[in-house]
Amino acid sequence: MTTSALSPATRLRGLRPDWLSDPKVWRTEILAGLVVALALIPEAISFSVIAGVDPAIGLFASFTMAVTISVVGGRRAMISAATGAVALVIAPLNREHGLGYLIAAVILAGVFQIILGALGIAKLMRFVPRSVMVGFVNSLAVLIFMAQVPEMHDVPWPVYPLIAAGLALMVFFPRVTRVIPAPLVSIVILTVITVAAGIAVPTVGDKGELPSALPVPGLPDVPFTLDTLTTVAPYALAMALVGLMESLMTAKLVDDITDTHSSKTRESIGQGIANIVTGFLGGMGGCAMIGQTMINVKVSGARTRLSTFLAGSFLMVLCIVFGPVVSDIPMAALVAVMVMVSFATFDWHSIAPKTLKRMPAGEIAVMAVTVACVVATHNLAIGVVVGTVTAMVVFARRVAHLADVTAVVDPDGTQVVYAVTGELFFASSNDLVTRFDYAGDPDKVVIDLTATHIWDASSVAALDAIETKYAQRGKSVEIIGLNQPSARIHDRLSGELTGGH
């Protein structure tokens, strides 16, 4: 039966989201959203402290980012909220100029992200190699774990058995049932135990006061002048780039986990829209939140936009309606959840001895450089950029060694044919000039490029230099075997790079 033959009601059912027609999906998405909302609260408060703003500013940002991106984002089930990377970028602006300038930077960052998204910045993701992606994932896992260490340092001794109990629950409870997410069960049970037994341990309430009302729309309290724009723009651009980098990398990671495709261009533009909305509602801005996304997708099994929407909605409901209850949640319960996320996120196969023996040394080096940079700077964007550049250098060195030259002299000694194999670009063509016997060769020299490809101007310049050296000795050079793209670049640039022969 063709689509046109289907009744309107049938076609409408086909367009409905999965969670509307499948109660199991509906239940999974709701519970996942609740778990993520609980995990967002202490994180958002912590990032507010980093940015130097009131905890409510970070919580408002997490609420508005999640709700908005659930509608306009390109990657389903991904969680966007206030993040540490964004907080680090805008903290100096808030410290030096105040909250009004921070809010203005968030709005302008959103505008930059929409522009960059429309210009196709998402296409740059194809230049991120797998070794960098593995390093990104592993460094992410390390950062998630490191973020929990302060919560386990200089704390009452009951914190440690509570964390151990939380981990045990998350490991063994799924063997009983997967209907209810194990992290939610762990949080509820540990909260009941600490409250009922009166165990004095750090709680969510110790992190900061929760908001008691919804955010109110408004313009940033700054003078609308060119001076304000020049002050805010550098921070806004940095925030836009960092936010897009983390969001696009996280979207790619979720694509791999769920074996589905997402629109990175829509995600880029969606991040911009979400930050603009967040700014006008007084939030500190944000981007994709990797730890909470892993809770949502990998731990809780969420796959639709509903979980993202509910994570933001539940966050505000928990803060405004159930603030006193949420404040009693022990931090140990949330630490246990995040530790489990870090172990589940880490690609253990990538560091297995068998894998390391088989992997090329360059690939291992790229992965290690990515992890080292991220852990050292606590900035995933820096690690990805440095790792990608390192991968390009490793690739260039590897390919440069593949270019080779072999000479065959005719029996009568009237000409020599040089066969060039491999790829000719700046790294390999620099040595090309030294591979010819200018003084000893006969008067006619043929350079056969059938088994190679010219990629750049450096290669054309090298061929020009070879022809010049032979011409100085009264010998002629004929270049044959150029494929069409190589011939095009050679014809266009030959003789033009050094002012002629």
Side-chain angles (χ1 to χ4, degrees):
M1 182 183 293
T2 62
T3 304
S4 59
L6 297 174
S7 68
T10 304
R11 288 201 299 269
L12 184 61
R13 281 197 299 272
L15 295 173
R16 289 192 305 179
D18 292 340
W19 54 269
L20 278 177
S21 54
D22 189 338
K24 185 178 179 181
V25 174
W26 181 78
R27 181 179 62 243
T28 299
E29 299 296 311
I30 291 178
L31 293 176
L34 181 57
V35 174
V36 172
L38 290 169
L40 276 173
I41 293 173
E43 296 276 302
I45 294 174
S46 298
F47 298 146
S48 300
V49 173
I50 292 173
V53 299
D54 188 84
I57 304 298
L59 290 164
F60 287 157
S62 295
F63 161 59
T64 54
M65 287 293 297
V67 169
T68 306
I69 206 68
S70 69
V71 178
V72 300
R75 173 64 258 177
R76 292 181 296 173
M78 191 166 76
I79 305 297
S80 289
T83 58
V86 168
L88 287 169
V89 170
I90 59 178
L93 180 63
N94 179 65
R95 187 167 55 248
E96 295 171 16
H97 299 279
L99 180 62
Y101 281 80
L102 183 150
I103 299 300
V106 171
I107 296 172
L108 184 58
V111 174
F112 283 149
Q113 287 178 328
I114 292 175
I115 294 172
L116 291 169
L119 291 175
I121 192 174
K123 294 178 182 177
L124 295 176
M125 288 301 297
R126 61 185 174 181
F127 294 106
V128 178
R130 183 185 179 279
S131 52
V132 174
M133 192 66 192
V134 173
F136 169 81
V137 171
N138 289 346
S139 56
L140 152 67
V142 172
L143 286 187
I144 292 174
F145 182 83
M146 288 175 62
Q148 312 314 310
V149 173
E151 304 297 338
M152 296 183 276
H153 178 67
D154 195 21
V155 292
W157 70 264
V159 167
Y160 303 109
L162 284 172
I163 293 174
L167 291 171
L169 280 168
M170 284 183 284
V171 170
F172 295 109
F173 186 79
R175 300 182 183 181
V176 178
T177 179
R178 292 183 178 271
V179 173
I180 304 175
L184 180 59
V185 174
S186 176
I187 291 170
V188 171
I189 290 178
L190 293 187
T191 302
V192 170
I193 290 174
T194 54
V195 172
I199 302 173
V201 291
T203 63
V204 170
D206 297 331
K207 286 288 183 180
E209 188 176 349
L210 303 181
S212 57
L214 289 171
V216 178
L219 294 173
D221 184 17
V222 294
F224 292 90
T225 63
L226 183 60
D227 184 57
T228 300
L229 179 62
T230 56
T231 300
V232 166
Y235 294 95
L237 182 59
M239 175 184 164
L241 293 173
V242 169
L244 283 180
M245 179 72 76
E246 292 210 21
S247 299
L248 294 176
M249 290 295 289
T250 305
K252 191 172 187 299
L253 178 60
V254 177
D255 287 353
D256 294 340
I257 292 173
T258 61
D259 197 23
T260 56
H261 175 71
S262 62
S263 172
K264 306 303 184 298
T265 297
R266 178 177 173 178
E267 184 60 40
S268 301
I269 296 173
Q271 288 290 328
I273 295 171
N275 272 306
I276 292 173
V277 171
T278 297
F280 282 120
L281 288 171
M284 59 180 274
C287 61
M289 207 170 190
I290 303 165
Q292 273 63 23
T293 297
M294 290 300 99
I295 293 176
N296 195 47
V297 175
K298 203 164 188 178
V299 179
S300 302
R303 292 293 183 270
T304 76
R305 297 179 186 274
L306 179 63
S307 58
T308 306
F309 177 83
L310 290 179
S313 302
F314 283 152
L315 174 63
M316 280 293 99
V317 172
L318 289 169
C319 291
I320 296 172
V321 180
F322 299 102
V325 176
V326 173
S327 296
D328 288 334
I329 295 175
M331 284 301 300
L334 299 174
V335 168
V337 171
M338 297 310 293
V339 168
M340 181 61 72
V341 169
S342 71
F343 275 91
T345 302
F346 197 92
D347 186 352
W348 297 102
H349 176 73
S350 67
I351 61 170
K354 185 183 295 185
T355 304
L356 294 176
K357 286 180 181 178
R358 293 178 178 176
M359 286 280 285
E363 301 282 315
I364 297 172
V366 169
M367 182 177 68
V369 166
T370 304
V371 173
C373 285
V374 171
V375 173
T377 63
H378 284 237
N379 190 317
L380 289 160
I382 292 176
V384 170
V385 171
V386 173
T388 302
V389 171
T390 304
M392 290 179 178
V393 172
V394 170
F395 174 76
R397 284 178 57 85
R398 186 183 303 157
V399 175
H401 293 304
L402 297 179
D404 195 19
V405 179
T406 56
V408 177
V409 181
D410 279 1
D412 58 6
T414 57
Q415 76 171 18
V416 61
V417 178
Y418 284 93
V420 182
T421 58
E423 304 299 312
L424 291 183
F425 67 112
F426 62 90
S428 60
S429 61
N430 286 334
D431 295 330
L432 190 66
V433 180
T434 65
R435 306 294 295 276
F436 295 81
D437 184 4
Y438 302 102
D441 283 341
D443 291 341
K444 185 176 182 181
V445 178
V446 177
I447 302 177
D448 186 358
L449 300 181
T450 304
T452 189
H453 184 97
I454 297 175
W455 288 103
D456 59 6
S458 297
S459 303
V460 177
L463 291 171
D464 282 354
I466 293 168
E467 290 186 74
T468 300
K469 287 181 180 293
Y470 277 116
Q472 290 170 347
R473 293 166 173 81
K475 301 175 182 181
S476 65
V477 175
E478 181 185 4
I479 296 176
I480 64 171
L482 286 170
N483 58 36
Q484 189 173 0
S486 298
R488 193 179 301 122
I489 190 173
H490 184 265
D491 293 343
R492 187 170 69 249
L493 296 179
S494 181
E496 302 295 331
L497 299 172
T498 58
H501 299 314

